[in-house]
């Protein structure tokens, strides 16, 4: 039984491993790095979600890059939409350096996508999510 500290779990799907390393080292200093789980492609993220048996083990948030090899963010959202065993409401934040309005419209169609954020994300934002002082 892990103690529930009230921290939120984030899955970060992005092929920019360098950036994720930076986030992790900052979070490590604040003892929050356990709450950020990184996958460098969307397929691995989907496989991970499919393997989870217990609802409380699901992440609270998914930070999703749009343009990645193997499976991109758009494809991920399609799959995720079909994974309806996910009763728990997982909020997805799409993070992209793309300024295309069209991309934005495409992802905001999904009710579980909370926001379209420009990269790079600030680590403050990630901390906020984990500590969930937003709600």
């Amino acid at each position: 039984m892990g103690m529930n500290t009230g921290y939120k779990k984030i899955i970060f799907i992005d092929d920019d491993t360098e950036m994720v390393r930076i986030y992790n080292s900052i979070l490590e200093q604040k003892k929050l790095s356990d709450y950020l789980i990184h996958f460098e492609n969307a397929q691995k993220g989907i496989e991970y979600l499919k393997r989870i048996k217990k609802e409380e083990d699901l992440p609270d948030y998914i930070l999703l890059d749009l343009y990645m090899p193997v499976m991109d963010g758009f494809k991920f959202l399609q799959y995720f939409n079909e994974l309806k065993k996910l009763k728990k409401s997982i909020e997805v934040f799409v993070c992209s350096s793309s300024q295309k309005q069209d991309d934005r419209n495409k992802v905001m169609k999904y009710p579980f996508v909370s926001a379209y954020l420009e990269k790079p994300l600030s680590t403050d934002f990630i901390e906020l999510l984990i500590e969930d002082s937003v709600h």
Side-chain angles (χ1 to χ4, degrees):
M1 287 289 294
M3 270 181 46
N4 185 3
T5 48
Y7 285 146
K8 303 294 186 194
K9 194 156 72 168
I10 299 177
I11 287 185
F12 202 156
I13 302 174
D14 198 315
D15 59 335
D16 186 345
T17 46
E18 184 49 41
M19 184 189 69
V20 176
R21 243 198 32 223
I22 294 165
Y23 287 146
N24 262 326
S25 63
I26 293 169
L27 291 171
E28 215 151 83
Q29 294 158 16
K30 313 203 163 162
K31 307 273 184 284
L32 295 174
S33 59
D34 294 350
Y35 301 95
L36 187 70
I37 301 162
H38 174 240
F39 297 101
E40 51 195 77
N41 73 59
Q43 204 171 349
K44 287 185 176 148
I46 289 285
E47 282 161 12
Y48 173 83
L49 289 170
K50 280 184 178 163
R51 277 199 311 272
I52 291 178
K53 297 282 178 276
K54 294 206 303 290
E55 204 172 296
E56 60 266 29
D57 295 335
L58 290 168
D60 299 278
Y61 302 109
I62 295 174
L63 300 176
L64 178 68
D65 186 26
L66 276 186
Y67 293 99
M68 294 172 285
V70 189
M71 184 195 284
D72 66 14
F74 299 110
K75 203 46 158 217
F76 175 88
L77 291 170
Q78 270 176 312
Y79 275 97
F80 184 76
N81 196 30
E82 287 155 24
L83 276 183
K84 270 308 164 228
K85 65 158 200 168
L86 305 176
K87 301 288 177 293
K88 170 176 173 181
S89 59
I90 299 175
E91 284 183 58
V92 178
F93 293 93
V94 172
C95 323
S96 184
S97 28
S98 151
Q99 304 291 322
K100 288 197 291 224
Q101 189 58 41
D102 189 42
D103 284 353
R104 191 198 172 94
N105 298 344
K106 232 189 280 186
V107 303
M108 293 310 290
K109 279 201 316 249
Y110 295 101
F112 47 79
V113 174
S114 298
Y116 186 92
L117 307 166
E118 270 177 44
K119 289 171 78 168
L121 291 181
S122 77
T123 36
D124 294 350
F125 176 72
I126 294 176
E127 273 177 60
L128 266 182
L129 284 184
I130 293 175
E131 295 177 340
D132 207 30
S133 41
V134 222
H135 300 301

